[in-house]
């Protein structure tokens, strides 16, 4: 049942994003920012964790999960360092994921020799 819940919730998120892409003039970058901000707001409101418990990877894999990671990092850093935590918590929380994405994409570019579109 966990796989089914992850599938339908993740699919619903992807379908809503596809509708935004098709029916609005929003660019993909803005929709990505919207997803990250949605994750932050859901985490702030306390809705994200029950949703994560229900759907698992269905909500943690899309960019909504990245917003949750940013929020948790900022929240912990503010508790530890005060107002200065606003500026450092998000970087500390997502540093490993962002670094891995950069390293693996660089390695992939070495292996597959990307070309510019014409």
């Amino acid at each position: 049942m966990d796989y089914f819940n992850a599938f339908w919730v993740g699919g619903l998120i992807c379908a809503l994003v596809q509708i935004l892409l098709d029916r609005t003039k929003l660019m993909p970058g803005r929709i990505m920012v919207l997803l990250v901000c949605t994750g932050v707001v859901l985490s702030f409101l306390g809705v994200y964790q029950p949703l994560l418990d229900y759907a698992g990877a269905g909500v943690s894999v899309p960019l909504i999960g990245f917003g949750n990671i940013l929020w948790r990092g900022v929240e912990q850093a503010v508790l530890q360092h005060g107002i200065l935590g606003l500026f450092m918590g998000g970087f500390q929380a997502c540093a490993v994921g962002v670094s891995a994405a950069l390293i693996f994409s660089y390695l992939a570019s070495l292996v597959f020799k990307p070309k510019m579109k014409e």
Side-chain angles (χ1 to χ4, degrees):
M1 201 63 189
D2 291 338
Y3 295 123
F4 178 74
N5 291 337
F7 177 78
W8 81 262
V9 172
L12 180 65
I13 293 169
C14 292
L16 292 174
V17 168
Q18 190 63 48
I19 290 169
L20 281 175
L21 282 168
D22 293 343
R23 303 288 179 169
T24 68
K25 293 184 180 185
L26 290 174
M27 301 298 289
R30 291 188 178 181
I31 292 176
M32 289 170 48
V33 170
L34 181 68
L35 286 171
V36 172
C37 292
T38 301
V40 170
V41 170
L42 290 176
S43 298
F44 172 75
L45 296 174
V47 176
Y48 185 84
Q49 190 59 44
L51 190 59
L52 181 64
D53 294 339
Y54 177 75
V59 289
S60 65
V61 173
L63 285 170
I64 294 174
F66 185 67
N68 175 55
I69 290 172
L70 289 174
W71 172 255
R72 286 190 303 171
V74 168
E75 186 178 36
Q76 288 177 346
V78 166
L79 292 175
Q80 290 176 354
H81 304 287
I83 195 77
L84 208 61
L86 285 173
F87 304 104
M88 57 194 279
F91 292 114
Q92 289 175 339
C94 70
V96 173
V98 171
S99 297
L102 289 172
I103 291 168
F104 289 128
S105 62
Y106 177 72
L107 292 175
S109 73
L110 291 176
V111 172
F112 296 106
K113 305 287 186 210
K115 297 176 185 155
M116 296 298 290
K117 288 186 177 181
E118 295 178 20

